[in-house]
């Protein structure tokens, strides 16, 4: 990929800055309206993303009607608007008002995992509001080590980094995952990992995902198998009735240990991806369908896009 120029990076950031400031400082009802409008605008001006989402939905739900696919794709952009709003307002979301943004379900599963003393691997995805869930968890006195990838635009990357750490969380960039995550769980701390996107390279394992082979990261499973750290799924779903998110934790993913390392790695990675698939099936409008999830193919298989 060609390098981005400093002029382009700066122009993008200068153009976006007034919008980000408005989302942060407008009264919340107006900020919600602006975020919703930005979601609709993004839907209108990104036809390529809409086509990717439609293709993904055809693959995942072959019986879904065209009208329902359009409804789901529209929901994806609405969800992105909510994520953007929460990121912009993170400096204003504190212990006193975080309950207005998010509540907890199944928190006992996370607490029970911490009592084992081997850290927690927080399994999540680009589903619901992944940024708000990490922020709120830090505010509740349980800061995470969040695994992230640097954004292409360094100005936006620094903006997002400041918000991601303002509740006490710490960042682990993907290239340093193995060393720093191992240290964190060794100190009985939690590491949050998004594992739902296409992965290529030595770390990847092919799994079944919505009935198709998909390349998935195995890093979180390798670490769990090595350290016996529990893998606890957690997703922050939007509740339209309550007009806020619910961070739902589930029991740890049961891991097999037959002594066959490669077979166990494949099976345990599959189990993690199955948890994500089931959550997406429950809230399809809240997953990032605009990503080419099935881009990497097993040898000899054709491009799905």
């Amino acid at each position: 990929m060609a390098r981005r120029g400093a002029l382009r990076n700066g122009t993008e950031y200068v153009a976006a800055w007034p919008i980000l400031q408005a989302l942060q400082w407008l009264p919340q009802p107006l900020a919600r309206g602006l975020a919703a409008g930005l979601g609709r605008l993004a839907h209108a001006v990104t036809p390529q993303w809409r086509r990717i989402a439609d293709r993904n939905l055809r693959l995942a739900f072959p019986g879904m009607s065209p009208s329902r696919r359009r409804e789901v794709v529209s929901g994806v952009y609405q969800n992105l608007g909510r994520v953007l709003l929460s990121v912009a307002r993170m400096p204003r979301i504190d212990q006193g008002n975080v309950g207005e943004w998010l509540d907890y379900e199944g928190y006992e599963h996370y607490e029970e995992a911490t009592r084992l003393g081997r850290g927690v691997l927080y399994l999540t995805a680009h589903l619901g509001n992944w940024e708000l869930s990490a922020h709120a968890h830090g505010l509740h006195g349980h800061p995470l080590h969040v695994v992230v990838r640097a954004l292409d635009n360094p100005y936006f990357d620094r903006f997002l980094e400041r918000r991601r750490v303002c509740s006490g969380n710490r960042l682990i960039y993907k290239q340093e995952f193995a060393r720093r995550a191992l240290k964190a769980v060794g100190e009985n701390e939690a590491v949050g990992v998004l594992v739902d996107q296409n992965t290529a390279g030595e770390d990847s394992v092919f799994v079944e995902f919505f009935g198709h082979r998909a390349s998935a990261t195995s890093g979180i499973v390798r670490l769990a198998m090595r350290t016996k750290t529990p893998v606890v799924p957690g997703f922050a779903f939007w509740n339209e009735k309550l007009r806020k998110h619910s961070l739902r934790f589930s029991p740890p993913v049961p891991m097999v240990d037959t002594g066959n390392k490669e077979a166990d790695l494949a099976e345990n990675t599959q189990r993690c991806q199955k948890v994500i698939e089931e959550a997406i099936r429950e809230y399809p409008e809240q997953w990032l369908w605009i990503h080419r999830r099935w881009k990497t193919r097993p040898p000899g298989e054709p491009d799905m896009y």
Side-chain angles (χ1 to χ4, degrees):
M1 183 173 61
R3 292 185 61 186
R4 296 166 58 92
L7 178 60
R8 176 184 174 183
N9 290 333
T11 300
E12 289 175 348
Y13 189 66
V14 168
W17 180 250
I19 298 172
L20 296 171
Q21 290 298 294
L23 289 171
Q24 180 175 348
W25 295 107
L26 281 174
Q28 191 160 317
L30 292 178
R32 286 186 185 272
L34 175 58
L38 291 170
R40 290 191 293 270
L41 176 62
H43 180 275
V45 301
T46 54
Q48 182 179 6
W49 289 1
R50 296 200 309 270
R51 286 193 293 269
I52 293 170
D54 186 75
R55 173 58 174 159
N56 284 336
L57 287 166
R58 288 173 183 267
L59 291 169
F61 299 103
M64 184 179 284
S65 68
S67 62
R68 176 58 178 151
R69 290 200 304 271
R70 289 192 294 272
E71 185 179 75
V72 171
V73 174
S74 177
V76 171
Y77 284 89
Q78 293 172 32
N79 190 66
L80 285 174
R82 290 190 292 265
V83 174
L84 177 62
L85 174 65
S86 63
V87 168
R89 294 181 84 89
M90 274 180 184
R92 304 184 64 187
I93 303 174
D94 55 28
Q95 290 179 333
N97 63 17
V98 67
E100 300 171 12
W101 289 80
L102 178 145
D103 58 22
Y104 278 76
E105 297 178 31
Y107 187 65
E108 66 274 10
H109 300 303
Y110 180 86
E111 288 184 306
E112 290 169 5
T114 63
R115 294 191 192 107
L116 297 175
R118 295 192 290 269
V120 177
L121 291 169
Y122 174 9
L123 174 78
T124 193
H126 295 85
L127 175 65
N129 199 327
W130 59 94
E131 297 287 355
L132 179 62
S133 68
H135 181 76
H137 207 57
L139 291 175
H140 274 80
H142 300 282
L144 300 168
H145 297 262
V146 184
V147 181
V148 300
R149 181 188 74 82
L151 300 181
D152 294 332
N153 186 314
Y155 299 108
F156 286 123
D157 189 59
R158 286 194 290 271
F159 172 87
L160 185 55
E161 179 179 322
R162 289 193 295 270
R163 277 153 171 74
R164 282 172 164 167
V165 302
C166 69
S167 68
N169 293 330
R170 285 154 284 183
L171 304 185
I172 297 177
Y173 285 91
K174 287 189 175 181
Q175 61 268 26
E176 54 187 7
F177 169 75
R179 175 179 58 83
R180 292 193 54 196
L182 181 63
K183 181 176 185 293
V185 298
E187 296 173 352
N188 197 27
E189 296 176 345
V191 179
V193 192
L194 296 111
V195 299
D196 57 320
Q197 295 197 321
N198 181 75
T199 304
E202 297 179 357
D203 183 46
S204 61
V205 172
F206 279 102
V207 298
E208 289 292 321
F209 193 67
F210 284 94
H212 303 280
R213 301 293 284 169
S215 183
T217 180
S218 64
I220 186 174
V221 172
R222 291 179 190 274
L223 182 58
M225 290 171 58
R226 176 178 176 180
T227 61
K228 307 301 180 184
T229 300
V231 178
V232 179
F235 308 98
F237 300 114
W238 173 251
N239 187 316
E240 185 64 32
K241 183 179 294 186
L242 298 178
R243 300 294 295 169
K244 64 179 180 178
H245 292 84
S246 292
L247 176 51
R248 183 191 303 172
F249 287 106
S250 302
V253 179
M255 297 282 173
V256 299
D257 183 6
T258 66
N260 184 328
K261 183 176 179 181
E262 291 305 312
D264 290 348
L265 180 67
E267 173 61 23
N268 291 330
T269 302
Q270 178 68 72
R271 292 184 177 201
C272 289
Q273 293 297 316
K274 185 63 176 177
V275 168
I276 293 171
E277 179 181 331
E278 290 173 352
I280 294 169
R281 287 184 180 276
E282 188 175 0
Y283 293 94
E285 294 91 345
Q286 298 188 36
W287 190 51
L288 201 66
W289 292 100
I290 59 177
H291 166 71
R292 288 186 173 90
R293 181 62 188 90
W294 291 275
K295 178 181 178 181
T296 299
R297 309 306 311 137
E301 289 197 9
D303 187 344
M304 299 185 78
Y305 297 95

